[in-house]
């Protein structure tokens, strides 16, 4: 058995910020070296951030990334971390085309370099658009330990790199990842990695990106599993973390170069000599997986915080309607940015209820955020009078006046505007374009209405358990939802009961199920017909909605692409 | 030599409309049969329309498409077209996955079925997301003539299906296509098809889709090239057309089944007997390629018309500012939909010039479209007064009030709202979100400002040559462009000269060129820096802009995907 101390640097890079991301890697590696680590692993594309999308098509960016890697190798060495074998993933290109690459840096040099083999091209992934697949595997021997490498999707597909490493023989596998968060995804990831470790016959160190990037959020949750699938170490979700773990590795099995499972396995030897025996550090405690609502809440908080901060904003502004959606959005915003960065605006019209204003004020009081009241009656009247509006046109003008008002305050004061719509209303088109859909980010865009209520209750309970004031007024949770755009309006005038509606949407949107499947689930055919039509015709509105943190498989964003002009109806 | 009469059915399907598209195919095939055609070719995915995007992921749709093909085969037979060998492309799936398929229908049966081999995954194409590549080639012998088939991208890639058909031996190749229009694309397509015909050693019949589909427009331009590359027949662009052509084909070379160029060539014999000699029809005149501005104008007209009509609208409404962008948009709209379907609104604010109103009125008079004046001063004042706005916030409120006003009229009267921004201002972010960017479609979204002026002059000249009134007032073409959101404002206060700006944008946006390349072109470094920064920070605005007809390689739409959160700057 041979000892090795490794560190997984779970970092939060900013896409395109080669300089800043290199700094993050250097700082983490220096800390790892101080902790005595011999090997450091970073996440997929840590140097560029992930995903870089069409920046791949710009030669200058590709060249800058490759140059930044060389410079990073030199700077790590200068910083006294040269003897730490550091795995850094980045964007590269060769004669064949652009590559999702990872390199092993040692004493100022790139000692090994490998390209991702499996290129995901489903859901949010478009990697066939960007990259060419790799055909080689680079195994580096350090202190007598043979370390193989796989990049992200390489562990999600059967066969290929893991099989090749298993056949060729390695003592350890490092796996840089950029695996976007989805609700309960860790239930898939960990068993999968355990299986791959068994297939490779070696421990697997899985290092994932953390942080928000547009509508994606990466949860981290980096870990090391042993060759038998046992979890040896696990980092917390939704925070930067340096996970340092001591390994005790069996060596001496047959280790060969050559072609295995169709891939060319190359071997590089840095050192054959095992490390002299040393006192291992106590194992870090395994990070406890978060509960489902805590995990979702953390994703929404991190998604919003990173979108606002990485885009150079310091504060957010949005309508406080007294309803549940704006209340939950406000609680998320305060958790993400602090109360002093959150500006709530109550914008009563002549149809607004008394409680809409008092609940909004109470929300602001509980959160300790900024709050003001700007009535919209005069502005609305100027349109309604001049254009002689009534009905839907009058309803929409109220929502649009509020949008213009928020944008004016944003222009005047520099806040980023949030849209507070939930997934249910976005799915069925129960929103006003250029009205309540105004905003640069939509925190609960991927949260169904029934889930919004659950999160509100969970967040209030969590506050209560910590002896804090529950942030969300009880009345915002319990009162029947209303857009308040005409007298005595209720959501249920236009929509089915939310519990039933969300059930159908979950099947139709998330599951891509058709009419017959929905019928088989026991839903009423007229109701299916009604919901399916609403969803189908609302495609354009969803396309215009601002981005928002994705927490499900089929969020409305880049992972769901339908034609706007489209006559297909499930109910045909 | 053996005779054959073939027809290329250049149709305008609607995505998802299996029933309607089948009707189009039946009608075209019946007409072709009446004209004595023995073979009919339709465009790629003619039965579903192209592209169907994520409808591929819905099993019910895939099954419906496959069922619609069987039903179509039967209905063609019932309609008396059974003896016409009809090639129909559609969506299918087998055990491997979804397929971009084409089938040969004869006497009510599917006699051959082939899957697309090369799956494009660049620009607007995402076919690796949807399809599995085919491995077989189906050659059908009709009247002793061996007919091979390739689907769209199969002719754009070297090697593969065309090589295999050339080696195996065929007398004729049919090629269903859905090749989106780009400016001057026919200069690539025709020489390419000629080269492929030579490689296959047989004439190639290229049938392309025609019509608008969201931001794509398909120009048709179907043709037949002889084995030596000579153009035998050519259909006009931007219109449905049935191109009937008599061929006289050499046969009797070695024709084998088996594996060629790695693909399995299968052979089906319908009939060995050549047709009795018949009197060929006179060759149809070759459609003349359109001039560059005529081609672009036709694309913009068809793109708008199909977006409006296929989405069930009958009229459009938008601001008539007196400027060149709204004037050109109006002329396109009238050409697309007729004057009675076009509603212009002049919305003067206190900063609007006298000529902005008179030029708008003159435009409406020349076009014969609807026109009204709705001053916005009172509405603007209600925000400016209550929120104490000035500067940019006040400028933007004017644009946003106009957006709300147009949407209110749309809600009240049922028109689809157009956004009239051009590519230059969208590229640099010189527009107001939820203001002049309001609309469901943006006809000149992909046209640079200098090109807008060129099109205006061309359209006026064309009218003059036909003895008609030039639609666009001369003053709208010649006056210096202004947003008129503050006193004496000119575009040149905020932007470089448009000729220079468009030159840089053409390199930076279309060419994906970096700072060094732009410098080498001779542009001033400070100017490059300024333009590049404007473009980079405007990404979010562009993402929120409505779709508009794509006429260049890098339109702002699905073919250009950049991260919103992104710190990469070319000028670093």
């Amino acid at each position: 058995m041979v000892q090795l101390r490794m560190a997984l640097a779970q970092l939060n890079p900013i896409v395109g910020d080669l300089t800043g991301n290199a700094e993050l890697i250097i700082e983490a590696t220096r800390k790892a070296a101080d902790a005595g680590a011999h090997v450091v692993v970073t996440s997929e594309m840590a140097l560029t951030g992930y995903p870089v999308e069409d920046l791949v098509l710009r030669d200058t960016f590709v060249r800058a990334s490759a140059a930044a890697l060389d410079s990073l190798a030199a700077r790590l060495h200068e910083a006294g971390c040269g003897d730490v074998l550091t795995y850094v993933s980045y964007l590269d290109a060769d004669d064949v085309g652009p590559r999702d690459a990872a390199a092993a840096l040692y004493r100022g040099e790139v000692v090994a370099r490998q390209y991702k083999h499996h290129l995901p091209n489903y859901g949010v992934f478009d990697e066939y658009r960007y990259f060419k697949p790799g055909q080689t595997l680079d195994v580096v021997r350090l202190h007598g330990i043979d370390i193989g490498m796989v990049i992200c999707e390489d562990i999600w597909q059967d066969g290929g790199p893991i099989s090749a490493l298993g056949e060729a023989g390695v003592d350890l596998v490092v796996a840089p990842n950029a695996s976007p968060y989805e609700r309960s995804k860790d239930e898939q990831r960990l068993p999968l990695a355990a299986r791959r470790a068994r297939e490779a016959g070696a421990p697997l160190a899985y290092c994932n990106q953390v942080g928000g990037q547009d509508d994606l959020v990466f949860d981290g949750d980096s870990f090391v599993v042993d060759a038998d699938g046992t979890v040896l170490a696990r980092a917390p979700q939704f925070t930067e973390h340096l996970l340092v773990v001591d390994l005790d590795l069996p060596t001496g099995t047959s280790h060969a170069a050559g072609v295995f499972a169709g891939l060319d396995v190359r071997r590089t030897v840095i050192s054959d000599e095992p490390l002299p025996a040393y006192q291992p550090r106590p194992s870090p405690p395994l990070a406890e997986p978060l509960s489902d609502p805590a995990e979702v809440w953390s994703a929404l908080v991190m998604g919003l915080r990173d979108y606002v901060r990485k885009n150079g904003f310091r504060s957010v502004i949005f309508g406080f309607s007294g309803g549940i959606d704006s209340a939950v959005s406000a609680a998320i915003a305060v958790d993400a940015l602090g109360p002093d960065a959150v500006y709530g605006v109550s914008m009563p019209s002549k149809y607004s209820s008394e409680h809409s204003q008092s609940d909004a004020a109470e929300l602001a009081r509980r959160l300790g955020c900024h709050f003001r009241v700007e009535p919209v009656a005069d502005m609305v009247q100027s349109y309604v009078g001049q254009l002689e509006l009534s009905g839907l046109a009058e309803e929409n003008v109220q929502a649009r006046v509020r949008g213009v008002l928020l944008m004016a305050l944003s222009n005047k004061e520099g806040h980023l505007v949030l849209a507070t719509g939930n997934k249910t209303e976005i799915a069925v088109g129960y929103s006003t374009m250029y009205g309540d859909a105004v905003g640069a980010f939509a925190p609960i865009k991927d949260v169904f209405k029934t889930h919004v209520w659950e999160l509100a209750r969970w967040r209030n309970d969590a506050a209560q358990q910590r002896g804090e004031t529950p942030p969300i007024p009880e009345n915002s949770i319990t009162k029947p939802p209303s857009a308040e755009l005409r007298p005595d309006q209720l959501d249920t005038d236009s929509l089915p009961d939310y519990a039933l509606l969300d059930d159908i949407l979950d099947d139709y949107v998330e599951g891509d199920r058709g009419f017959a499947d929905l019928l088989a689930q026991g839903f009423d055919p007229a109701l299916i017909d009604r919901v399916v039509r609403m969803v189908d015709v609302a495609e354009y509105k969803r396309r215009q909605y601002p981005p928002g943190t994705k927490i499900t498989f089929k969020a409305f964003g880049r992972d769901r692409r339908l034609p706007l002009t489209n006559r297909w109806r499930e109910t045909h």
Side-chain angles (χ1 to χ4, degrees), chain A residues 327-513:
Chain A
V328 166
S329 299
I332 291 167
V334 167
D335 283 357
L337 304 164
D340 204 40
V342 177
Y343 291 75
V345 189
S346 168
M347 296 174 283
S349 76
K350 66 175 177 178
Y351 301 124
S352 296
S353 62
E354 180 52 39
H355 62 75
S356 76
Q357 297 171 63
S358 58
D359 291 342
E362 172 63 12
L363 173 71
R365 194 191 63 70
R366 287 169 179 234
L367 293 172
C369 66
H370 302 273
F371 182 67
R372 79 189 93 178
V373 179
E374 293 288 355
V376 297
D378 290 353
M379 300 161 188
V380 170
Q381 186 48 40
S382 66
Y383 297 93
V384 169
Q386 182 173 327
L387 303 175
E388 296 172 15
L389 304 177
S390 60
L392 183 67
E394 184 188 359
E395 289 185 37
N396 280 340
V397 159
Q398 294 167 70
R400 291 189 177 120
V401 162
R402 290 183 177 126
V404 174
L405 195 156
L406 289 172
M407 287 304 293
L409 294 175
S410 167
N411 280 159
K412 190 180 172 190
E413 301 172 6
H415 321 296
L416 183 136
V417 178
L418 300 184
T420 61
N422 64 70
K423 185 169 185 168
T424 306
E425 66 185 33
I426 297 167
V428 296
Y430 194 64
S431 69
T432 303
M433 287 185 61
Y434 319 121
D436 52 306
V438 158
F441 198 77
I444 57 170
K445 182 182 182 182
D446 197 25
V447 185
F448 284 127
K449 185 80 173 187
T450 46
H451 195 189
V452 174
W453 277 308
E454 283 168 28
L455 289 174
R457 293 209 178 83
W458 172 84
R459 182 64 186 79
N460 274 3
D461 288 349
Q464 222 139 18
Q465 280 165 26
R466 290 195 295 261
E468 296 164 5
T469 309
I472 297 159
E474 188 60 21
N475 196 41
S476 295
I477 304 179
T478 52
K479 68 183 172 186
S482 166
E484 298 194 345
L485 296 174
R486 62 171 185 261
D488 303 320
Q489 185 179 27
L490 289 178
D491 288 11
T492 44
D493 300 342
S494 309
L495 301 177
D497 174 74
Y498 275 116
L500 188 56
L501 178 57
D502 284 355
D503 266 359
I504 298 178
L505 292 175
D506 194 46
D507 281 337
Y508 186 57
V509 176
E510 296 292 311
D512 261 325
R513 297 212 176 78

Side-chain angles (χ1 to χ4, degrees), chain A residues 194-342:
Chain A
R195 183 148 60 91
R196 297 307 180 206
R198 285 192 294 270
E199 286 169 16
L204 187 144
Y206 172 104
C207 185
N208 193 20
Q209 180 169 312
V210 71
Q213 171 58 29
D214 297 355
D215 42 4
L216 301 182
V217 65
F218 297 86
D219 58 332
D221 194 17
S222 303
F223 53 80
V224 182
V225 284
D226 209 350
D228 65 1
T230 314
V231 182
L232 298 176
R234 186 170 191 176
Q237 288 175 284
F238 303 109
T239 181
E240 289 196 298
H241 189 78
L242 187 72
L243 182 67
V244 182
V245 56
D246 270 306
L247 301 175
D248 210 7
L249 302 162
T251 59
T253 49
S254 156
H255 290 176
V259 175
F260 298 87
L263 299 171
D264 187 16
V265 177
R266 305 182 299 201
R267 302 238 174 213
T268 303
V269 176
I270 294 174
S271 53
D272 279 312
E273 269 312 288
L275 288 162
Y278 64 85
Q279 182 61 36
R281 293 157 55 110
S283 294
L286 297 185
E288 282 289 320
L290 297 171
S291 71
D292 174 72
E295 186 186 88
V296 170
W297 190 269
S298 303
L300 299 175
V301 166
M302 171 164 265
L304 174 61
R305 180 195 296 134
D306 278 358
Y307 192 81
V308 172
R309 294 207 179 150
K310 290 181 179 182
N311 284 304
F313 283 83
R314 276 183 292 206
S315 53
V316 293
I317 191 168
F318 51 105
F320 276 25
S321 72
I324 187 67
D325 295 331
S326 59
V328 166
S329 299
I332 291 167
V334 167
D335 283 357
L337 304 164
D340 204 40
V342 177

Side-chain angles (χ1 to χ4, degrees), chain A residues 10-342:
Chain A
Q10 177 172 297
L11 302 175
N12 187 349
I14 300 181
V15 161
D17 189 6
L18 296 169
T19 311
N21 299 339
E23 286 303 327
L24 287 180
I25 295 167
I26 292 168
E27 193 190 323
T29 307
R30 199 186 284 133
K31 276 190 196 153
D34 289 348
H38 310 107
V39 175
V40 168
V41 187
T42 59
S43 58
E44 183 183 14
M45 295 274 229
L47 191 53
T48 59
Y50 185 94
V52 292
E53 304 186 60
D54 276 15
L55 288 176
V56 175
L57 309 182
R58 203 168 291 163
D59 285 344
T60 39
F61 183 67
V62 179
R63 286 198 300 268
S65 168
L69 182 85
D70 291 336
S71 152
L72 175 61
R75 292 186 58 203
L76 284 169
H77 193 36
E78 287 158 19
C81 310
D83 284 351
V84 180
L85 180 64
T86 306
Y87 283 88
V88 177
S89 177
Y90 69 109
L91 170 66
D92 205 342
D94 62 5
D95 294 345
V96 178
R99 305 286 200 163
D100 184 331
L105 310 182
Y106 189 77
R107 295 192 180 166
E109 303 287 331
V110 175
V111 294
R113 194 188 312 260
Q114 180 176 319
Y115 305 137
K116 189 175 187 175
H117 299 83
H118 289 296
L119 302 175
N121 210 79
Y122 53 84
V124 300
F125 303 110
D126 281 310
E127 294 196 359
Y128 266 96
R129 179 179 176 89
Y130 302 120
F131 303 118
K132 298 291 176 190
Q135 299 296 332
T136 60
L137 286 160
D138 271 72
V139 178
V140 177
R141 179 172 300 174
L142 180 73
H143 305 307
I145 295 162
D146 281 317
I147 306 170
M149 178 188 359
V150 289
I151 303 175
C152 202
E153 188 77 2
D154 290 346
I155 67 166
W156 287 84
Q157 303 295 327
D158 284 324
I162 286 283
S163 303
L165 291 178
E167 290 175 25
V170 287
D171 305 313
L172 175 64
V173 179
V174 298
N177 273 261
S179 176
Y181 170 71
E182 270 166 35
R183 205 172 167 186
S184 308
K185 196 170 184 180
D186 58 340
E187 289 168 19
Q188 295 167 58
R189 249 185 224 145
L190 203 55
L192 176 82
R195 183 148 60 91
R196 297 307 180 206
R198 285 192 294 270
E199 286 169 16
L204 187 144
Y206 172 104
C207 185
N208 193 20
Q209 180 169 312
V210 71
Q213 171 58 29
D214 297 355
D215 42 4
L216 301 182
V217 65
F218 297 86
D219 58 332
D221 194 17
S222 303
F223 53 80
V224 182
V225 284
D226 209 350
D228 65 1
T230 314
V231 182
L232 298 176
R234 186 170 191 176
Q237 288 175 284
F238 303 109
T239 181
E240 289 196 298
H241 189 78
L242 187 72
L243 182 67
V244 182
V245 56
D246 270 306
L247 301 175
D248 210 7
L249 302 162
T251 59
T253 49
S254 156
H255 290 176
V259 175
F260 298 87
L263 299 171
D264 187 16
V265 177
R266 305 182 299 201
R267 302 238 174 213
T268 303
V269 176
I270 294 174
S271 53
D272 279 312
E273 269 312 288
L275 288 162
Y278 64 85
Q279 182 61 36
R281 293 157 55 110
S283 294
L286 297 185
E288 282 289 320
L290 297 171
S291 71
D292 174 72
E295 186 186 88
V296 170
W297 190 269
S298 303
L300 299 175
V301 166
M302 171 164 265
L304 174 61
R305 180 195 296 134
D306 278 358
Y307 192 81
V308 172
R309 294 207 179 150
K310 290 181 179 182
N311 284 304
F313 283 83
R314 276 183 292 206
S315 53
V316 293
I317 191 168
F318 51 105
F320 276 25
S321 72
I324 187 67
D325 295 331
S326 59
V328 166
S329 299
I332 291 167
V334 167
D335 283 357
L337 304 164
D340 204 40
V342 177

